[in-house]
Amino acid sequence: MTKYGFLGLGIMGNAMATNLVRAGFEVTVWNRTPAKCTPLIELGAHPGSSPREVVADCDITFAMLSDPAAASEICFGPNGVLSGIGDGRGYVDMSTVDDTTARNIMQAVTERGGRFLEAPVSGTKKPAEDGTLIILAAGDETLYKDSVAAFDKMGKKHMYLGEVGQAARMKLVVNLVMGGMMVALCEGMALGLKGGLNGQQILEVLDAGALANPMFKGKGALLLQKEFHTSFPLKHMQKDLRLAIGLGDALGQPLHGTAATNETFIRARAEGHAEEDFSAVFEVIR
Ligand code: NAP
């Protein structure tokens, strides 16, 4: 039976690892803050003492970490992934990072005889809990095929996008669009409310036509209640916009609208909304 590891049990990692354990897979978990492992161990997961031990002991190890700095630290740091990888064992990093970080990790893992796949996800806390994420994978195709059984428990769709870096790019494109849509919704709502319109009716009109989408519907209702319970932390949305702008810079693609969106999210982060849901950007717009 394939042995799976899981590193990083935040909002997403916890839900994704839970689905693997519930599916009856053998899973070893590790998190920087050990207390977050407890519910998974109670469900039947094994405790891991370090990324090195997990990667050395498991056939395929998944990671779901906050940002490029965290993904690099877990890979290159003391008792990190690199000190345990080898012999064809797989490392699948599902964190949202930039393409350069993904390539650096891929190179180091493969130099030590491991296999590497980047596999960031589209979808938030609820799809992670429901096992309905969209998994964007690139890198070692044999590892992609070997990971499908686990992907099927975490997501409703998985795509193979070719060379490492392409999945990171796809993920940044998706979140660039999402960040811009959120700011557009918040500005439209703020303007409408100031103009004496009814917020529910604004959402009803948007939902009735070509602009209908699940995000406006779900987040729009919560905005009106000023309910920003964290599903996707605002600090991570701003990180993704920063990374998208860096990619635009590297590829010579101007991103005027995204730059303005990013400034709005930076302001929201600076004003104390970093840990709230990304929809809390409404607080600095209205
Ligand atoms: P989160 O709740 O903030 O969890 C972050 C995880 O990274 C935690 O396990 C945290 O450990 C760990 N971590 C951070 N810095 C670390 C370090 N230096 N060393 C070791 N571990 C470190 O974030 P999340 O919402 O689960 O998101 C995880 C990734 O998925 C991010 O890249 C995010 O952009 C992406 N993503 C999120 C969503 C979403 O809706 N939430 C959707 C799609 C993609 P501790 O518990 O010790 O802090």
Side-chain angles (χ1 to χ4, degrees), residues 11-12 31-33 36 65-66 96 123-124 231 236 239:
I11 294 171
M12 298 296 281
N31 192 65
R32 177 180 64 176
T33 307
K36 290 189 191 168
L65 303 157
S66 39
T96 302
T124 184
S231 179
H236 291 334
K239 173 256 306 181

Side-chain angles (χ1 to χ4, degrees), residues 7-13 30-34 36 64-67 69-70 73-74 94-97 121-125 133 171 175 231-233 235-237 239-240 275:
L7 311 175
L9 304 171
I11 294 171
M12 298 296 281
W30 175 89
N31 192 65
R32 177 180 64 176
T33 307
K36 290 189 191 168
M64 193 51 158
L65 303 157
S66 39
D67 55 20
E73 192 178 326
I74 290 303
M94 306 185 79
S95 324
T96 302
V97 300
V121 303
S122 183
T124 184
K125 184 180 177 201
L133 293 167
K171 173 64 191 170
N175 275 20
S231 179
F232 180 31
K235 64 180 178 185
H236 291 334
M237 181 77 244
K239 173 256 306 181
D240 294 348
E275 304 297 332

Side-chain angles (χ1 to χ4, degrees), residues 129-191:
E129 289 169 349
D130 295 345
T132 56
L133 293 167
I134 299 161
I135 299 169
L136 310 168
D140 189 308
E141 205 166 356
T142 66
L143 180 55
Y144 174 70
K145 287 180 180 144
D146 290 349
S147 303
V148 162
F151 286 164
D152 281 341
K153 300 298 174 194
M154 296 190 271
K156 64 177 178 187
K157 180 177 177 73
H158 46 82
M159 290 173 76
Y160 180 75
L161 299 168
E163 284 181 11
V164 168
Q166 294 307 93
R169 290 176 173 186
M170 181 69 86
K171 173 64 191 170
L172 295 181
V173 166
V174 170
N175 275 20
L176 173 161
V177 172
M178 188 166 80
M181 283 174 64
M182 177 55 77
V183 167
L185 175 66
C186 290
E187 289 190 354
M189 186 60 77
L191 179 66

